[in-house]
Amino acid sequence: MGPIDTLELREAGYEWEELIDPRGLAKTVAHALTRPARAHITELKVYPQK
């Protein structure tokens, strides 16, 4: 869990290593949304890749 990589955060001094890639986040959310109806996702944590 952490901040998502945006221009504003990079300008604020965040390093890309500590930011979550928005494309990776989108893929993760899409994966969660396409699970079968019987799947119960109660929590989805996304961390920056280190």
Side-chain angles (χ1 to χ4, degrees), residues 3 8 16 22 25 45-46:
E8 291 82 13
W16 71 270
L25 177 60
K45 292 184 179 183
V46 179

Side-chain angles (χ1 to χ4, degrees), residues 15-30:
E15 297 294 326
W16 71 270
E17 295 92 358
E18 55 190 332
L19 299 171
I20 296 171
D21 177 32
R23 294 166 296 197
L25 177 60
K27 288 180 181 180
T28 301
V29 170

